[in-house]
Amino acid sequence: MSHISQQPDERHPMTGNRMDSGDDTGFERHEYDVVVIGAGGAGLRAAIAAHDAGARVAIVCKSLLGKAHTVMAEGGIAASMGNVYPDDNWRVHFRDTMRGGKMLNNWRMAQLHAQEAPERVLELEEWGALFDRTPEGLISQRDFGGHKYARLAHVGDRTGLEMIRTLQQHAVSLGIDVFMECTVTDIFKDGDAVAGAFAYWRETGRFVVFDAPAVVLATGGIGKSYQVTSNSWEYTGDGHALAMKTGASLINMEFVQFHPTGMVWPPSVKGILVTESVRGDGGALKNSEGNRFMFDYIPEYFKSETADSVEEAEGWYADKKNNRRPPELLPRDEVARAINSEIKAGRGSPHGGVFLDIASRRDADFIKRRLPSMYHQFKELADVDITAEPMEVGPTCHYVMGGVEVDADTEQSRVPGLYAAGEVAGGMHGSNRLGGNSLSDLLVFGRRAGESAAAYVQGLKDVRPRIVADDVRLAARTALAPFAIENGGENPYTIQKDLQDVMQRLVGIIRKAEELEESLEEIQKLKDRATRLSVEGHRQYNPGWHLAIDLTNMLIVCECIAKAALERKESRGGHTRDDYPGPDDSWGQVNLVLTLAGGDYSAPVDLEHKPLPQMPDDLRELFDQ
């Protein structure tokens, strides 16, 4: 059995190692082959793969095991299994993914993802996942925006929860060690290669050193940099910033996905997602005048596949094989922009959103059966009965397409021994992620990252990188710096509030040059203020200290987003420029690559242009069909 560690005593219950006494020596220390940072779908799948490849593995997670953002993925796992539409196959899924990402995806990642997703879903089933079934007994698959065929394997509207339950149970049964409520603040290197990681227990503040020549980042996204977000407190860009500090590069950071349907009212549920499944099962988007406005926003790119009348859309729900899909199921970036336009035009709901109505279109039993979590969640948290009234929804910061630049086959960054998978990795989704592709992304590339990390360590044989003692002491001093400023210091909560305001106002869903330039000036001021962060009290149970550490990550990631958004002078996917309203072919084959000189958080972010990998002719021909 694994050891799951959360509340350390004077000696660690697994190793017997003595805890640190509060100074910068004698830290708790552990040795592994692979350390996985993050315990969502990507982290768990990476840990399982590394373990199965013979590596000694530890999972380090910022929160409790089982509390990962993967559980918020309610709709399903995109995989071309063909259980509902036999014509579906990996080539169609690949084409949908590339088109959804406006062709800015790393084609090889999109190919591997489409090819391997069905096998990963069946693997989950073998490990005990329970899926909804078709009348023939196959895994049921539902429709989602941007997908030509119904291909999301699902468990009602709680697919992510079932996925985490299954992976977590499997990982624990394998004996993989888990360090819960333990935050990683630094990754150590020996020369150019990874040597280990530095962390602290959130409860006691005591420090932990992990000796490990391979680290897999699976830390998720950056949403807590925005005021309105579906993300919870953990999503502060830790993995993105750790990668940059270690010497890795980020790509596609200008592309932030605002999920079109987050609740805007009541306040108790503001920002919480309304799954795309509501629209897939018949929910219609309406403005304050009662019009289904999405018919006015169908791009030329999708007109051949999208219904252009209410009658045709209703026909699709009645007989999906013979009619074009409703415009509510366009890719998320298209729907989010349409909602934003309606609100700006004065046709929004009373609380600054639009209406999502399934109550008048499906009976209560159907809604409760197909969307049980949605029904119970909003009934309990906000006294909103989705079987009887429309929901007020609007765009909410949900996902970042950008992340660590990795090799498509191995998920290794440009730093030997450093890997990334899931939302923290870039390239797979291009400029916009299709709904349902997230969960399959976690499974496909989590497995590949874990296997690659284990193979890398085996290749080292007995010549393992070593952690330098001075680096450990520096990491400890840096983490404790906010305690050293007693008078006139900055409050971390104030800086976070100011940062969220800057990102929401100036780097939101619609952008323009002068606002982006202003945002970079404001972010630099906030970085200067953050050098004087001050916290009171002790290291035990100190959320202010935790936020002070997170803020360094948030600030560097926000600078990356704003700088890349200013540089990309076009609108594409999750990046919309008011001053450059359309796509520009000259930008269609360019990645913006961001690095941090010397890994210094205080240094400005460097940006360079890099051409996309060229797609082979046999795959390019798929877009001519």
Side-chain angles (χ1 to χ4, degrees):
M1 290 293 291
S2 69
H3 185 89
I4 300 179
S5 199
Q6 181 186 4
Q7 299 180 14
D9 298 318
E10 193 62 29
R11 286 184 181 271
H12 192 274
M14 177 174 65
T15 65
N17 291 348
R18 181 169 295 279
M19 305 300 179
D20 73 291
S21 58
D23 59 15
D24 59 3
T25 60
F27 303 117
E28 177 187 343
R29 200 149 187 162
H30 305 279
E31 185 173 346
Y32 292 96
D33 296 322
V34 178
V35 168
V36 179
I37 305 175
L44 287 168
R45 190 61 190 85
I48 291 167
H51 172 276
D52 289 349
R56 293 171 297 161
V57 184
I59 298 171
V60 184
C61 55
K62 192 173 180 179
S63 187
L64 296 170
L65 187 63
K67 188 192 178 298
H69 275 71
T70 305
V71 304
M72 296 172 60
E74 297 155 323
I77 309 170
S80 56
M81 305 173 76
N83 292 349
V84 175
Y85 288 93
D87 290 341
D88 198 13
N89 58 61
W90 76 261
R91 291 175 180 83
V92 182
H93 190 184
F94 166 78
R95 186 176 63 189
D96 290 347
T97 297
M98 293 295 299
R99 289 177 63 189
K102 306 300 188 289
M103 305 302 289
L104 210 66
N105 321 57
N106 180 309
W107 68 266
R108 177 61 175 162
M109 294 182 79
Q111 179 191 27
L112 290 170
H113 168 258
Q115 289 174 333
E116 297 179 7
E119 186 178 348
R120 300 284 76 78
V121 173
L122 293 174
E123 191 174 59
L124 271 187
E125 187 180 40
E126 291 174 8
W127 293 344
L130 302 174
F131 290 97
D132 291 350
R133 319 304 288 193
T134 66
E136 297 77 25
L138 301 173
I139 292 175
S140 180
Q141 297 186 270
R142 64 160 45 114
D143 293 284
F144 239 54
H147 294 277
K148 181 175 177 61
Y149 296 115
R151 66 165 66 100
L152 268 70
H154 60 92
V155 188
D157 59 354
R158 47 182 180 267
T159 312
L161 180 62
E162 180 67 4
M163 181 168 145
I164 282 291
R165 182 197 68 79
T166 304
L167 291 173
Q168 180 178 307
Q169 182 174 331
H170 193 64
V172 170
S173 72
L174 292 174
I176 297 171
D177 295 328
V178 181
F179 294 78
M180 291 195 301
E181 297 192 300
C182 186
T183 297
V184 174
T185 64
D186 281 279
I187 295 173
F188 298 124
K189 292 199 298 184
D190 183 357
D192 294 329
V194 165
F198 186 82
Y200 71 95
W201 293 105
R202 298 183 70 85
E203 180 182 334
T204 64
R206 288 169 168 164
F207 295 129
V208 191
V209 175
F210 294 96
D211 292 271
V215 169
V216 179
L217 297 172
T219 53
I222 54 86
K224 288 309 287 183
S225 298
Y226 285 83
Q227 281 177 339
V228 181
T229 179
S230 64
N231 298 172
S232 66
W233 62 269
E234 301 96 334
Y235 264 35
T236 52
D238 298 2
H240 292 76
L242 283 169
M244 292 193 82
K245 188 176 179 182
T246 310
S249 51
L250 305 185
I251 59 170
N252 296 340
M253 289 304 291
E254 64 269 40
F255 301 113
V256 178
Q257 184 175 88
F258 289 82
H259 193 292
T261 54
M263 291 289 278
V264 300
W265 191 262
S268 59
V269 290
K270 186 174 182 179
I272 292 180
L273 291 192
V274 179
T275 174
E276 208 160 316
S277 307
V278 173
R279 287 171 279 143
D281 284 337
L285 288 166
K286 300 178 181 179
N287 59 24
S288 59
E289 298 169 1
N291 297 325
R292 283 183 70 177
F293 58 85
M294 282 305 304
F295 289 103
D296 301 326
Y297 294 94
I298 304 169
E300 288 292 333
Y301 205 64
F302 293 100
K303 278 195 172 177
S304 64
E305 300 174 3
T306 308
D308 54 16
S309 69
V310 172
E311 293 75 20
E312 192 176 19
E314 294 309 308
W316 181 85
Y317 283 117
D319 183 6
K320 297 178 182 179
K321 293 182 180 179
N322 300 319
N323 293 279
R324 296 184 295 174
R325 63 199 301 111
E328 281 88 356
L329 292 181
L330 283 165
R332 288 176 175 177
D333 60 318
E334 308 289 355
V335 180
R337 277 195 294 271
I339 291 173
N340 191 72
S341 296
E342 287 294 302
I343 295 168
K344 284 195 169 184
R347 295 187 291 270
S349 67
H351 301 98
V354 295
F355 297 104
L356 175 56
D357 177 24
I358 194 172
S360 68
R361 300 168 53 76
R362 295 287 183 267
D363 62 56
D365 288 341
F366 176 92
I367 296 170
K368 291 177 182 178
R369 183 178 72 254
R370 296 279 291 186
L371 303 161
S373 296
M374 285 286 97
Y375 171 74
H376 289 292
Q377 176 175 254
F378 294 127
K379 186 67 175 170
E380 293 296 323
L381 294 179
D383 198 27
V384 172
D385 185 350
I386 70 171
T387 69
E389 59 186 306
M391 293 161 271
E392 285 192 60
V393 300
T396 179
C397 178
H398 178 53
Y399 190 93
V400 62
M401 276 67 73
V404 183
E405 185 181 26
V406 295
D407 175 78
D409 289 81
T410 66
E411 318 329 307
Q412 182 171 271
S413 72
R414 62 172 64 180
V415 178
L418 184 64
Y419 300 79
E423 190 174 355
V424 72
M428 160 63 198
H429 304 289
S431 67
N432 180 51
R433 176 178 68 82
L434 296 185
N437 272 358
S438 177
L439 291 187
S440 41
D441 170 17
L442 305 180
L443 294 172
V444 169
F445 295 111
R447 171 181 170 269
R448 281 183 164 268
E451 287 183 346
S452 300
Y456 168 79
V457 175
Q458 289 166 1
L460 294 174
K461 301 190 184 302
D462 296 328
V463 186
R464 292 166 66 105
R466 298 292 179 184
I467 296 175
V468 178
D470 285 348
D471 290 345
V472 177
R473 286 189 280 270
L474 176 60
R477 286 197 299 274
T478 302
L480 294 173
F483 290 106
I485 298 177
E486 296 181 356
N487 298 312
E490 290 277 356
N491 186 319
Y493 292 98
T494 302
I495 293 182
Q496 184 190 32
K497 180 179 180 296
D498 293 344
L499 179 63
Q500 289 173 333
D501 175 68
V502 167
M503 296 302 289
Q504 196 75 30
R505 284 190 301 110
L506 305 175
V507 200
I509 190 170
I510 307 293
R511 301 156 175 179
K512 58 182 69 174
E514 57 267 31
E515 291 182 347
L516 293 169
E517 290 167 352
E518 182 185 350
S519 75
L520 286 167
E521 293 172 2
E522 292 298 321
I523 290 169
Q524 184 57 53
K525 292 176 184 176
L526 292 171
K527 286 176 70 175
D528 293 340
R529 288 170 58 190
T531 61
R532 302 186 300 277
L533 282 172
S534 176
V535 295
E536 297 180 353
H538 303 281
R539 289 156 62 181
Q540 295 82 6
Y541 307 103
N542 195 327
W545 179 44
H546 303 162
L547 179 58
I549 291 173
D550 291 342
L551 265 174
T552 58
N553 301 328
M554 296 169 71
L555 285 163
I556 197 67
V557 168
C558 288
E559 183 179 353
C560 288
I561 295 171
K563 183 163 283 191
L566 178 61
E567 180 72 9
R568 183 171 289 275
K569 297 174 177 62
E570 66 159 355
S571 292
R572 184 182 298 267
H575 169 66
T576 301
R577 286 284 295 266
D578 202 32
D579 43 0
Y580 295 94
D584 183 335
D585 289 343
S586 66
W587 286 96
Q589 291 295 310
V590 176
N591 271 330
L592 300 182
V593 181
L594 301 145
T595 52
L596 199 58
D600 180 4
Y601 273 13
S602 63
V605 169
D606 293 327
L607 183 150
E608 62 177 313
H609 292 216
K610 184 176 180 180
L612 264 68
Q614 287 300 305
M615 188 187 302
D617 291 341
D618 61 323
L619 293 180
R620 188 166 294 281
E621 289 172 0
L622 295 174
F623 300 91
D624 300 328
Q625 297 173 8

